[in-house]
């Protein structure tokens, strides 16, 4: 199978690679969360040593930067309570945590969740967190520019591998909200 973007040696429907996904991501793929069609969710097997965006695009081609997105976990505090949300922005941008995210969540304070917290709550590896398979009760904030992409490259839940799916499919995931200006 040829991936709709990039030039990857091993691209297959994610449904055929459940063994390479973390349990929450595999469960979401199996359940077709967000009504993502099986042929629209592609797993590309990649080297975990180059999972970080800069190394990944240096190896696989700078053109992928325009179609790559990162998913980060944010901890929001208000009234002594902490809640979590995930934010997805283009890889070439940064999440506006202290502005857009904090205001959108109605929090007094917002910050990136510590690595142990992010991985513990998601069941995913740091550096591979993906919006597919996140806790269903979390807000999933999506920058509009990600949703507008015909195809987007995101984490797979592990540092090994990436998922490719239509940007609009992200907006159908549980808790998804499109937020203008999320990535700056």
């Amino acid at each position: 199978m040829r991936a709709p973007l990039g030039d990857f040696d091993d691209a297959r429907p994610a449904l055929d690679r459940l063994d390479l996904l973390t349990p929450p991501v595999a469960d979401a793929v199996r359940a077709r969360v967000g009504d993502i069609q099986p042929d629209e969710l592609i797993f590309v097997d990649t080297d975990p040593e180059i999972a970080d965006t800069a190394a990944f695009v240096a190896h696989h081609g700078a053109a992928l930067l325009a179609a790559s997105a990162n998913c980060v976990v944010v901890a929001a505090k208000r009234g002594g309570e902490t809640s979590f949300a995930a934010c997805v922005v283009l890889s070439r941008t940064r999440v506006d945590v202290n502005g857009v995210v904090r205001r959108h969540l109605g929090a007094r304070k917002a910050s990136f969740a510590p690595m142990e917290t992010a991985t513990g709550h998601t069941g995913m590896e740091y550096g591979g967190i993906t919006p597919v398979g996140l806790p269903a009760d979390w807000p999933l904030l999506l920058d509009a520019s990600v949703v507008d992409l015909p195809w987007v490259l995101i984490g797979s839940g592990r540092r090994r591998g990436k998922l490719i799916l239509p940007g609009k499919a992200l907006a159908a995931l549980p808790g998804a909200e499109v937020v203008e200006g999320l990535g700056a």
Side-chain angles (χ1 to χ4, degrees), residues 11 36 39 54 57 68 71 73 85 89 108 111 129 132 135 143 146 154 158 165:
I36 299 171
D39 63 337
V57 298
S68 297
C71 181
V73 176
V89 298
R108 181 182 51 76
S111 59
I129 293 176
V132 178
D143 189 82
V146 175
I154 57 174
R158 290 209 157 104
L165 71 163

Side-chain angles (χ1 to χ4, degrees), residues 41-59:
L41 186 57
I42 297 151
F43 177 85
V44 291
D45 198 4
T46 60
D47 181 352
E49 295 300 315
I50 57 167
D52 294 326
T53 303
F56 190 84
V57 298
H59 182 81

Side-chain angles (χ1 to χ4, degrees), residues 96-118:
D96 183 2
V97 175
N98 291 312
V100 174
V101 174
R102 183 184 57 74
R103 284 190 302 274
H104 189 83
L105 297 175
R108 181 182 51 76
K109 181 181 177 187
S111 59
F112 293 108
M115 180 175 63
E116 300 80 24
T117 302

Side-chain angles (χ1 to χ4, degrees), residues 4-162:
L5 47 94
D7 186 23
F8 299 98
D9 295 331
D10 188 358
R12 300 184 201 174
L15 204 51
D16 295 345
R17 300 310 306 257
L18 298 175
D19 59 316
L20 294 178
L21 302 173
T22 59
V25 177
D27 291 347
V29 169
R30 204 178 290 111
R32 290 178 46 192
V33 168
D35 292 326
I36 299 171
Q37 299 303 308
D39 63 337
E40 291 183 322
L41 186 57
I42 297 151
F43 177 85
V44 291
D45 198 4
T46 60
D47 181 352
E49 295 300 315
I50 57 167
D52 294 326
T53 303
F56 190 84
V57 298
H59 182 81
H60 288 286
L64 284 175
L65 187 59
S68 297
N70 290 329
C71 181
V72 297
V73 176
V74 173
K77 296 180 181 181
R78 185 170 118 176
E81 297 291 318
T82 301
S83 60
F84 297 96
C87 301
V88 180
V89 298
L90 293 174
S91 296
R92 65 179 183 264
T93 65
R94 294 184 178 272
V95 177
D96 183 2
V97 175
N98 291 312
V100 174
V101 174
R102 183 184 57 74
R103 284 190 302 274
H104 189 83
L105 297 175
R108 181 182 51 76
K109 181 181 177 187
S111 59
F112 293 108
M115 180 175 63
E116 300 80 24
T117 302
T119 57
H121 282 65
T122 63
M124 300 178 200
E125 293 178 3
Y126 194 74
I129 293 176
T130 182
V132 178
L134 287 170
D137 60 340
W138 282 15
L140 172 59
L141 309 182
L142 306 167
D143 189 82
S145 60
V146 175
V147 176
D148 291 341
L149 289 173
W151 293 97
V152 61
L153 180 80
I154 57 174
S156 68
R158 290 209 157 104
R159 289 183 63 80
R160 176 183 177 181
K162 302 282 185 187

